[in-house]
Amino acid sequence: MARRLPKRRDMRTLALLVLLLGLPCVQANAQEADAPEGAIIDSVEMSGFSPYSLSPGLQKEFDSLVGTPLNRERLNQLVLRIEGEQPEMVAAVRSVARPDGKAHVIFLVARISEDTDLSENINARYLVESVDLEGPSSDVSQQLRDDLQKLVGKRLDTEEADRLKDRLEKELPGRDVARRISKGSEAGRIRVVFEIIEEPWIRFAPTRSKLIYHAQQGWSGALDFPMSSSRSRHRFTAGVVFNDIDELIEESSGFRLGFESRMLGTEKLGARLDFARVNDTWEDATLSALALNPTVPELYRNRLTFEPTVTFAFSPSVRLTGGVSLSDMESLTHAPDSQKANAWVAGISADHTWGTDHGSAKQRAEGSYSLRAAVDGLDTDLFYKRHLGQASYRFEQGRSEAIGSISLGYISGQPPLFERFSLGNSTTLRGFDKYDIAPLGGERMFHSSIEYRYSHVAVFFDTGSVWDRDTDAKIRYSTGFGVHGDNFFLTLGFPLNADDATPIFMMGVRF
Amino acid sequence: MSRAARRTSIWNAALLALVFVASPPALAAQTLSVNAAGDVLHVKARDFAFIAGPLLNRLKEGRSVRLDFELTMLSKPEGPTVKQVVQAFTLSFDLWEERFAVSRTGSPPRSISHLRASDAENWCLENLTMSISSLGIGRDTPFWLRLVYRVQDLEPVPAETPGERYTLRALIDRLSRRREEGDLAKSVSGGPFRLP
């Protein structure tokens, strides 16, 4: 580090010289040659600052330069000391060769606040070594590329750089541009990067990692390991599931693998392959309820699922998905007999975000509909059609957030248990236990939720019902409060129309 | 675990949750202090580090960041407002010196460089002042202070850094990540104070 300092200082001095050469008093000397190392210093000058404002020690050092051989390392150390004593200033040094072979030393000092660029970004003191575009930049015009390169060789002009960034955004509608600076290949030089950030038309599915505690249902966990870089078109995900009782009626443990491609030749086409194998256990309430309802298909000890799908994006906001879901369930009571639940899957989803600028209100709306149809031609043992529609809306302003959501589900035919709807977990009818509501799940479902958060302190009101085709729907209400973030929650839910009004505590992280 | 056992554990978990929820505000209430220099009232905030997280990442990418500070004097813990001052600062990070620079906008502008993160934070607070004579309150009058900062002018950044997905740090970051906007605004309150 100590050896690197002089070179670093030299380069910064050069950069600052470029900055300070705009001063008229220095411009006259700018054409003169640098004095050689070892030349005797015959005069010392400080420009832009009074040497009498320096500490006595530094003044003495400054005065003692006259008559000594030129030593650039010593001069650079003095510059460092000037900046150390005067942190509101930037300094540089230059030595000019006299006709008689002696050296004239000029310390150039400038107040940061008097330079708009330096005030805006202290790195404006450095010379721009290169300007690069990162990300999808093929649509950028040659004229703009040429203008970008005009930044090279000068100190950073932040206003001009911002204008160029605006021009990039105009030439690349629908994409964001970020400007960043990094160190150049030599000390005192910087590299300017304009990073083009494209909202993908098809996004990777959110990971489903979670660790959740529900006072009635216990712990549920899942851990996904996605493997890709941020700009990758493909992603592989390996995950483990342990005692997940939060999502479905069954309690499952096992593993899952997934491969996603969000760009198959075109950004409008993507594909996904999911494979999962889980072992299932069942709550006593489910076993008891099944004994009373012979129309529900039998329980299984493990489930193997393979689900290839293709997604087509009409726009970055609207996507259509289609494929098949092939499941093989080994009977709990008649192993190794198994049942197949093979279905066509189709779905459409849309989302839109408004007002993403910082400080303004932000709104996001999402909607989706999915159909899973186990019909003739897919070698299935169970025949059914499962419809699910979901919509949500979120409004954020400052510390306040309001979230509303609604879900509607309908199943005809004879669905396996993993397809039946369930309410009463950490996200739906919070305050109820799913095994008190419908231990076998149901074929019809309605749920809505409204939630208000202020600085993560949340209150909510959930409404919902899950029922079968030959039973009546009973609407349930719950409310509660907690600390809710995008990744974590700590909730106390109260059932409002239950026989047992015991509150339910839930907490967890999703990431 | 039996369902009965799960029910009994609710109270232990709820107690833990209560401690978790109640602790941060209780601690935060003790972080502000005031002092006077002539007619100028200064505020100091312990544990009010803001050069961290996404803001620090932006600075280390050579971006400048504008911070708006708001210091509000209240006659009661929740108002009404006696006096409010707003001051904007621009922060940048000298890539080669590896030190922070801060500029105070407005008139007169002031700038400083070669600062460590904590010194840059303190410099912002030192330059966020109130004129005591303009307050119109006596030395025995209690008052409360609320200090807020908000990060402005943020440019979009990619969600992830390539190659960081598999590190332990990346995993911890993901687990502890809060909504980014939440990290870019912070408030702390304190009182009662009296004019020194």
Side-chain angles (χ1 to χ4, degrees):
Chain A
M1 193 68 189
R3 290 183 60 188
R4 206 177 129 201
L5 187 63
K7 185 184 175 194
R8 188 169 105 180
R9 180 55 56 179
D10 281 345
M11 294 312 298
R12 214 193 62 185
T13 298
L14 277 175
L16 189 60
L17 277 171
V18 175
L19 156 67
L20 295 172
L21 282 177
L23 297 171
C25 60
V26 180
Q27 217 155 21
N29 296 331
Q31 306 304 319
E32 298 173 19
D34 283 345
E37 187 82 1
I40 299 300
I41 298 171
D42 75 339
S43 58
V44 180
E45 175 189 345
M46 183 169 283
S47 175
F49 190 72
S50 168
Y52 300 110
S53 299
L54 299 173
S55 67
L58 196 49
Q59 277 186 50
K60 193 175 170 185
E61 188 85 14
F62 185 75
D63 293 338
S64 68
L65 287 172
V66 177
T68 61
L70 180 70
N71 180 335
R72 284 201 168 77
E73 188 173 341
R74 183 185 176 196
L75 297 181
N76 289 331
Q77 291 296 334
L78 277 173
V79 165
L80 268 183
R81 289 179 60 188
I82 292 169
E83 289 188 340
E85 278 192 9
Q86 305 291 331
E88 298 190 2
M89 319 292 275
V90 286
V93 64
R94 191 181 175 208
S95 56
V96 179
R98 296 283 200 205
D100 58 3
K102 293 186 177 176
H104 174 59
V105 173
I106 312 166
F107 285 89
L108 309 163
V109 185
R111 190 171 292 277
I112 299 169
S113 59
E114 289 173 357
D115 184 286
T116 310
D117 284 341
L118 281 177
S119 299
E120 179 71 24
N121 192 327
I122 195 67
N123 296 295
R125 68 202 302 187
Y126 300 126
L127 288 177
V128 176
E129 175 185 277
S130 64
V131 177
D132 298 311
L133 290 171
E134 283 187 1
S137 60
S138 55
D139 295 338
V140 178
S141 68
Q142 190 57 47
Q143 177 63 50
L144 183 47
R145 288 174 190 273
D146 293 343
D147 291 344
L148 287 165
Q149 293 308 314
K150 288 177 183 168
L151 294 174
V152 175
K154 304 173 186 167
R155 73 186 184 103
L156 179 64
D157 180 343
T158 51
E159 281 188 17
E160 178 60 17
D162 284 341
R163 276 194 292 272
L164 290 165
K165 173 178 168 289
D166 291 344
R167 285 177 59 191
L168 277 168
E169 286 179 329
K170 279 182 187 166
E171 285 199 6
L172 303 167
R175 297 172 195 174
D176 287 321
V177 179
R179 175 168 62 82
R180 61 180 165 81
I181 306 166
S182 58
K183 289 181 179 177
S185 59
E186 292 181 40
R189 292 175 185 267
I190 53 173
R191 180 172 168 253
V192 180
V193 179
F194 291 90
E195 195 166 4
I196 298 160
I197 303 157
E198 190 172 33
E199 179 77 5
W201 284 46
I202 296 170
R203 285 162 231 154
F204 290 139
T207 55
R208 293 177 291 174
S209 297
K210 63 182 177 184
L211 182 63
I212 289 170
Y213 174 76
H214 185 287
Q216 295 291 318
Q217 296 159 17
W219 290 95
S220 293
L223 193 57
D224 280 344
F225 296 95
M227 285 165 249
S228 75
S229 67
S230 62
R231 293 186 191 84
S232 173
R233 295 172 181 178
H234 315 293
R235 185 174 78 170
F236 176 76
T237 303
V240 289
V241 181
F242 36 96
N243 300 330
D244 185 4
I245 199 170
D246 191 60
E247 194 173 336
L248 302 171
I249 288 293
E250 65 202 54
E251 179 173 347
S252 54
S253 299
F255 68 92
R256 55 196 182 202
L257 304 170
F259 176 78
E260 295 165 89
S261 175
R262 59 184 181 188
M263 193 167 177
L264 286 177
T266 164
E267 60 187 355
K268 297 180 180 180
L269 193 63
R272 182 180 172 95
L273 297 172
D274 281 306
F275 176 82
R277 188 186 192 286
V278 291
N279 294 320
D280 298 296
T281 56
W282 305 91
E283 289 284 307
D284 291 343
T286 302
L287 297 172
S288 303
L290 188 70
L292 301 173
N293 192 343
T295 62
V296 174
E298 66 173 329
L299 304 179
Y300 38 89
R301 68 173 67 240
N302 60 57
R303 178 161 58 89
L304 198 68
T305 299
F306 178 61
E307 192 169 302
T309 55
V310 174
T311 298
F312 178 78
F314 295 100
S315 75
S317 297
V318 182
R319 291 164 292 278
L320 185 69
T321 298
V324 292
S325 175
L326 310 173
S327 295
D328 190 273
M329 300 160 289
E330 186 181 11
S331 169
L332 181 67
T333 52
H334 306 99
D337 292 350
S338 65
Q339 282 190 313
K340 290 186 175 68
N342 299 337
W344 295 105
V345 295
I348 186 164
S349 64
D351 57 71
H352 192 66
T353 303
W354 301 266
T356 53
D357 290 340
H358 187 75
S360 65
K362 180 178 172 184
Q363 301 173 74
R364 180 169 176 81
E366 293 177 272
S368 67
Y369 164 76
S370 67
L371 169 66
R372 298 169 69 88
V375 293
D376 281 336
L378 279 176
D379 189 26
T380 184
D381 297 316
L382 300 170
F383 296 87
Y384 60 94
K385 286 180 184 169
R386 183 184 195 267
H387 306 260
L388 176 63
Q390 293 174 302
S392 68
Y393 172 76
R394 183 171 184 149
F395 178 89
E396 299 173 38
Q397 186 159 37
R399 299 179 187 180
S400 293
E401 290 174 60
I403 304 164
S405 65
I406 188 166
S407 301
L408 295 165
Y410 177 92
I411 302 175
S412 60
Q414 195 181 28
L417 272 156
F418 71 85
E419 296 277 37
R420 291 170 67 87
F421 300 113
S422 164
L423 297 177
N425 57 10
S426 65
T427 54
T428 59
L429 279 181
R430 290 163 286 184
F432 282 95
D433 175 11
K434 68 171 86 173
Y435 298 105
D436 291 338
I437 297 174
L440 285 173
E443 297 160 333
R444 312 281 189 270
M445 181 274 292
F446 154 75
H447 182 263
S448 72
S449 175
I450 52 172
E451 179 168 326
Y452 175 74
R453 298 177 186 172
Y454 184 82
S455 286
H456 297 314
V457 177
V459 291
F460 62 85
F461 180 73
D462 293 347
T463 307
S465 181
V466 57
W467 70 101
D468 281 331
R469 68 193 81 170
D470 51 356
T471 60
D472 293 330
K474 180 185 177 185
I475 306 290
R476 289 177 167 82
Y477 308 98
S478 71
T479 187
F481 61 89
V483 180
H484 294 182
D486 282 356
N487 299 91
F488 65 92
F489 64 93
L490 211 95
T491 305
L492 200 57
F494 298 86
L496 294 178
N497 58 342
D499 298 334
D500 179 5
T502 307
I504 290 183
F505 173 74
M506 295 153 274
M507 64 178 183
V509 289
R510 291 190 177 90
F511 53 97
Chain B
M1 182 188 284
S2 72
R3 291 165 69 78
R6 284 172 188 157
R7 285 175 195 271
T8 57
S9 64
I10 180 177
W11 299 113
N12 293 334
L15 184 63
L16 279 172
L18 193 64
V19 170
F20 172 78
V21 172
S23 295
L27 292 173
Q30 304 300 317
T31 57
L32 281 183
S33 62
V34 296
N35 58 45
D39 184 45
V40 177
L41 186 74
H42 288 275
V43 62
K44 286 189 175 176
R46 187 161 45 86
D47 301 328
F48 194 65
F50 49 84
I51 301 181
L55 190 151
L56 179 60
N57 293 340
R58 281 173 168 78
L59 290 171
K60 290 201 168 179
E61 287 183 342
R63 304 168 203 257
S64 58
V65 174
R66 188 181 130 159
L67 279 167
D68 285 348
F69 275 82
E70 189 181 281
L71 180 63
T72 308
M73 179 179 280
L74 309 162
S75 58
K76 290 178 182 173
E78 295 300 325
T81 300
V82 176
K83 173 97 175 172
Q84 186 176 63
V85 290
V86 178
Q87 181 63 59
F89 298 92
T90 303
L91 272 69
S92 57
F93 179 72
D94 191 320
L95 294 170
W96 284 105
E97 297 291 341
E98 298 187 343
R99 288 286 188 274
F100 294 89
V102 192
S103 292
R104 185 185 71 182
T105 58
S107 182
R110 284 192 66 195
S111 299
I112 191 164
S113 64
H114 296 80
L115 298 178
R116 291 184 174 83
S118 58
D119 296 328
E121 290 164 350
N122 289 336
W123 194 87
C124 290
L125 293 184
E126 283 166 15
N127 282 273
L128 184 68
T129 59
M130 281 183 176
S131 166
I132 292 174
S133 57
S134 70
L135 297 174
I137 61 169
R139 295 203 172 272
D140 292 333
T141 308
F143 62 87
W144 282 256
L145 288 173
R146 184 172 63 228
L147 176 64
V148 179
Y149 79 80
R150 294 184 189 86
V151 179
Q152 305 288 349
D153 301 340
L154 293 177
E155 292 179 335
V157 290
E160 294 158 7
T161 305
E164 281 196 359
R165 291 212 64 129
Y166 318 113
T167 63
L168 182 60
R169 182 187 177 121
L171 182 62
I172 292 169
D173 283 348
R174 282 178 72 85
L175 280 166
S176 59
R177 186 187 301 157
R178 299 165 64 185
R179 195 165 52 88
E180 193 169 79
E181 287 84 346
D183 294 332
L184 300 174
K186 194 174 177 181
S187 164
V188 62
S189 302
F193 301 109
R194 285 181 171 75
L195 291 175

